[in-house]
Amino acid sequence: MDADTVRIVRAKGTLRVLAILLAVSLLPALAVRATHSPTTEDVVAYAQGTLAMECLHNGGEQDCSGVNPTTQGPRDAVITPATGPLQQVSTQVNAWFTDFGDEMQPDDQAWNAALHNVGCNNANGLASFMADLGSAASADKTVGPKTVGECSVKGTLFVTSLRVPYYVVTSTLLPSAFTPKPTPTPKPTVKPTPRPTARPTASPTATPSPTPIPTPTPSPTPTASPTATPTAAPSFTASPTPEEIVAGATGSPGESPGGGGWQAEVPSPDRVSTKPIDVAGSLGLAVLLMLLMAFPGELFNDTFQANYDEIAGWFGWKKKS
């Protein structure tokens, strides 16, 4: 295998690693989208496909009807809204008269639990709730509201003299049933924001730079002392050279007018942007630079090791044993 082939194979391996890293980074977002989030369409599809009911669009709701195959009693359901995220399911079945009072027939208990479970997502909890509600009673009876899975469920037995006793069960969806908005995206922006707080601490250290500027003020005071001594005045006239040196040393860092200099090219700390978006952009470029430096280095090392014997022959190095 020649060097070009090795480079191609190594490059493909690097691309596979990048693809794996990208897939791992997307796992939190995929996990968020995999939550329950029931819809009216889910309930209607289950009612029609599994429970053999007929459903019709009626304004802002779906009305479904069916029959208990054992007792031939009616089964009705109202699903709200007509489309989109599920809000509420309300079912109604006739009570079954026994020697102990009115009861919910076992088939109707199972039917109620199955239909409400599409939204509530807790089959065992709903079966227990229906058994409690459907136990024998000789008067009006209410169970709930109770939190069952991702719903608040309430059931009532109505015993009247005007019509056959019947049960009404209503499940109202809780916010926990729906997919929360993806939050992982803002989290990376939160981490860089505290870092600008460290930047201001560096700015006070840079502020002493203006303090050397007053140092040129002593330079006029030595000039006054030579003027007081007439005889020494000619001898001290040569002293301005050290003053010029001092003035040049102190004046060059803080000197602002004329000629530009390094201070004209390098921004002062108070002009450095500490906006979160700028800091986040700098961090993003740093991470991208680290990735761009790491992968070519690894590719070069792997290629060099794979072809060491051939390269060693070019330069007369000692080959691997």
Side-chain angles (χ1 to χ4, degrees), residues 10-38:
R10 297 296 181 186
K12 289 182 177 179
T14 303
L15 290 176
R16 284 195 295 269
V17 172
L18 288 173
I20 293 172
L21 292 175
L22 180 61
V24 171
S25 65
L26 291 177
L27 284 178
L30 294 176
V32 170
R33 294 186 180 92
T35 53
H36 190 41
S37 299

Side-chain angles (χ1 to χ4, degrees), residues 186-275:
K187 286 182 180 178
T189 61
V190 176
K191 292 181 180 178
T193 50
R195 295 191 178 181
T197 58
R199 296 287 179 100
T201 58
S203 59
T205 59
T207 51
S209 59
T211 56
I213 296 176
T215 55
T217 55
S219 58
T221 56
T223 56
S225 59
T227 56
T229 57
T231 57
S235 61
F236 287 106
T237 54
S239 62
T241 56
E243 293 173 358
E244 291 174 357
I245 295 172
V246 174
T250 57
S252 60
E255 185 178 1
S256 58
W262 67 272
Q263 67 274 18
E265 300 296 334
V266 180
S268 59
D270 58 349
R271 290 188 296 168
V272 175
S273 174
T274 58
K275 295 181 179 179

Side-chain angles (χ1 to χ4, degrees), residues 78 86 99 125-126 183:
V78 177
L86 183 63
D99 294 337
L126 286 168
T183 54

Side-chain angles (χ1 to χ4, degrees), residues 93-129:
V93 295
N94 287 343
W96 184 256
F97 179 76
T98 67
D99 294 337
F100 304 99
D102 295 308
E103 299 180 359
M104 185 185 297
Q105 208 270 342
D107 288 351
D108 287 334
Q109 292 185 25
W111 173 81
N112 264 306
L115 189 59
H116 286 276
N117 186 57
V118 178
C120 299
N121 198 26
N122 188 342
N124 293 334
L126 286 168
S128 177
F129 181 90

